[in-house]
Amino acid sequence: MARSNLTWILPLLLHLAAGQTCVEPDKSSKQCLLQSKAARGKVALSSALGRSHGDLLREGLARTSLHKDCTPLNVSGVSFTEAEADQTLKNINWLHVPKTGTSFISTIWNYACGQHEPPLDLEVDAYATATCSECYDFALMGRYPVEQYCTPGVLSSNFGTQHAATTLDKMLAGENVVSILRRPNQRLISAYHARHVSGFGDVETELWMTCSDAACFARFPGVAGCMTRMLTGGTCADSLQQTDLADRADQAVEALQHLAFVGLTEEWDESVCLFHVMFGGSMNSAELKDVHMSRGSADDYDESELDGFVDDADEKVYAAAQARFNELKKQYVGGGSACDFLTQSGKPSPLQLVEARSDICSCGGAGMECGQMDGLDCGMCPLSRLTGDVWATEPPAGTNLTCSSAGKCLVNGEHTATFTWYVR
């Protein structure tokens, strides 16, 4: 998907007619969590205003130029009642299966932490630190920390983004787990190209010494069956292979039926829209963006790379996820498009809001680094940029980090380029 000189960060205040980065991280797990993240393709979705969402997004709903001034969109005529905007889903945790879409954190964070005025600019650069340069989740939560921004009770106290597993017991105990799942072959190939095998430990060295193609990677003991393991309390990859995957897949399918929300990477925009149809909250156009577009294409991977390999356990889980997703669409929007459902609710559609103005607003486009501009919250100065540590909660001793009235981050009263909105 090509970038352009417009922004994704218009606050789309829609009437919704239906009712591991970690917040408290295990710091001993830092190194295994700071894996560089790669791209996933995203399928654009159905039509609004006579053109597909995907076509319009490719035409211009990407981030604004660093040097372009912007005037915020006047959304005074687009409003919703407090009841309509209420977050109905509480105690949320995220089953983040590797290579299914880190971008989903923008939906979760906007829902849990962005339901106020002014809206958040979710279009943060994925750069968090020098060793975590493709870490959109860290970067977003660093700009908008949970303690200052999130509505109490919406996120689970165990909330995290770094590939922690779930279990049926956790969900039956009241944790509302949401997840986006991806076609197993596509996920495997993406994981190979990203060198992402969460949970493998020391055996990972042997893996990369042995395998130089996706077919070998997929067949290496303990790589396949990632979704199956993570729905049943295990790590994505497991070199020990302690449980037969065929039996475990049945348990995973049962657990999947208890997820509060199931979306599909291949139906990204529909998944995001369906989430808001089901649970309310204002929607932000940045939720539809793929934040890790290093492949530079929305096309699927060529599955011939796997040389006929089939991940039988995860195929069974994914088939159940597809069925559940379609059931949710039937239940909440009659089986049609969730995004079309939103735009038919009597409010201006996302695309109408975009086309109604000439100047597109973003914090980066306005040269902001923190604080509030007219109509947009640019967040706080991310400590990780200063400390090089994504887990930092305080600046170094003797360091005073403040936000100036002009929206610039100051270290002991001096401005540096450390906190610029866009790094690249």
Side-chain angles (χ1 to χ4, degrees):
M1 185 186 299
R3 293 186 186 272
S4 73
N5 290 331
L6 299 178
T7 185
W8 273 86
I9 190 57
L10 282 178
L12 307 182
L13 306 180
L14 303 177
H15 174 78
L16 303 176
Q20 165 158 65
T21 313
C22 302
V23 173
E24 298 179 359
D26 174 5
K27 294 189 179 182
S28 66
S29 302
K30 286 182 185 179
Q31 295 306 314
C32 69
L33 299 184
L34 295 180
Q35 301 184 53
S36 178
K37 302 168 185 174
R40 60 159 177 82
K42 177 169 73 65
V43 180
L45 57 57
S46 59
S47 175
L49 304 181
R51 285 182 286 169
S52 74
H53 285 64
D55 288 343
L56 280 150
L57 299 178
R58 279 186 285 272
E59 287 174 20
L61 304 187
R63 77 184 186 200
T64 189
S65 164
L66 255 68
H67 306 294
K68 180 178 178 181
D69 292 331
C70 60
T71 302
L73 175 67
N74 180 359
V75 294
S76 59
V78 185
S79 60
F80 45 83
T81 68
E82 183 176 352
E84 289 167 342
D86 186 39
Q87 302 114 308
T88 61
L89 189 64
K90 310 292 184 181
N91 200 28
I92 298 171
N93 212 341
W94 181 18
L95 178 66
H96 181 193
V97 177
K99 312 317 302 172
T100 58
T102 298
S103 305
F104 193 56
I105 187 61
S106 65
T107 293
I108 297 173
W109 218 246
N110 183 56
Y111 184 78
C113 316
Q115 301 302 308
H116 54 72
E117 292 293 336
L120 311 183
D121 186 344
L122 301 179
E123 173 95 22
V124 304
D125 196 287
Y127 181 94
T129 69
T131 57
C132 198
S133 60
E134 291 292 335
C135 297
Y136 175 73
D137 43 4
F138 282 96
L140 180 65
M141 293 190 285
R143 291 279 182 186
Y144 304 103
V146 61
E147 294 85 359
Q148 287 78 19
Y149 280 89
C150 300
T151 303
V154 176
L155 295 178
S156 165
S157 60
N158 298 315
F159 181 84
T161 71
Q162 288 297 302
H163 318 304
T166 192
T167 64
L168 178 59
D169 286 345
K170 288 181 179 179
M171 290 182 277
L172 292 177
E175 195 163 77
N176 285 311
V177 180
V178 299
S179 190
I180 299 280
L181 300 181
R182 185 177 186 179
R183 277 183 15 227
N185 281 0
Q186 291 293 309
R187 199 209 66 80
L188 276 169
I189 298 171
S190 181
Y192 165 71
H193 288 290
R195 299 175 70 87
H196 199 314
V197 279
S198 178
F200 238 25
D202 294 339
V203 181
E204 185 173 347
T205 301
E206 179 186 350
L207 166 65
W208 298 120
M209 290 180 64
T210 304
C211 293
S212 59
D213 58 57
C216 173
F217 172 81
R219 290 173 171 83
F220 194 90
V223 168
C226 173
M227 293 190 293
T228 298
R229 291 190 195 89
M230 291 190 67
L231 278 161
T232 54
T235 55
C236 173
D238 179 10
S239 59
L240 299 179
Q241 288 277 45
Q242 295 177 327
T243 306
D244 182 75
L245 282 178
D247 292 338
R248 200 162 176 174
D250 291 333
Q251 300 171 31
V253 169
E254 181 182 3
L256 184 144
Q257 305 306 320
H258 292 269
L259 293 173
F261 175 79
V262 180
L264 305 176
T265 304
E266 291 75 19
E267 297 273 359
W268 190 267
D269 294 4
E270 280 292 302
S271 297
V272 170
C273 290
L274 181 61
F275 180 92
H276 284 288
V277 170
M278 290 175 63
F279 304 120
S282 66
M283 182 175 170
N284 189 307
S285 58
E287 297 175 46
L288 304 179
K289 183 181 179 184
D290 183 349
V291 298
H292 289 157
M293 286 298 295
S294 61
R295 284 185 65 205
S297 170
D299 296 334
D300 287 346
Y301 287 103
D302 181 354
E303 295 185 9
S304 66
E305 288 190 52
L306 295 179
D307 193 24
F309 178 81
V310 177
D311 187 340
D312 291 323
D314 274 8
E315 287 289 350
K316 186 172 186 177
V317 171
Y318 185 73
Q322 286 180 302
R324 178 88 191 283
F325 178 71
N326 289 329
E327 288 168 4
L328 291 173
K329 287 185 69 175
K330 183 176 181 180
Q331 178 181 352
Y332 285 92
V333 298
S337 165
C339 290
D340 284 353
F341 180 87
L342 293 182
T343 63
Q344 293 168 7
S345 64
K347 301 292 184 183
S349 78
L351 304 179
Q352 287 172 325
L353 290 176
V354 169
E355 293 178 343
R357 56 174 299 165
S358 58
D359 291 323
I360 306 300
C361 178
S362 78
C363 295
M368 298 283 286
E369 297 172 351
C370 56
Q372 293 187 0
M373 55 189 292
D374 185 17
L376 203 58
D377 189 329
C378 300
M380 302 178 68
C381 305
L383 283 171
S384 64
R385 294 276 191 93
L386 179 66
T387 64
D389 180 3
V390 295
W391 310 105
T393 58
E394 298 289 341
T399 302
N400 186 25
L401 181 60
T402 58
C403 181
S404 75
S405 59
K408 300 294 185 182
C409 293
L410 306 180
V411 179
N412 294 332
E414 298 293 329
H415 178 252
T416 73
T418 303
F419 301 95
T420 182
W421 196 265
Y422 300 136
V423 176
R424 296 153 295 210

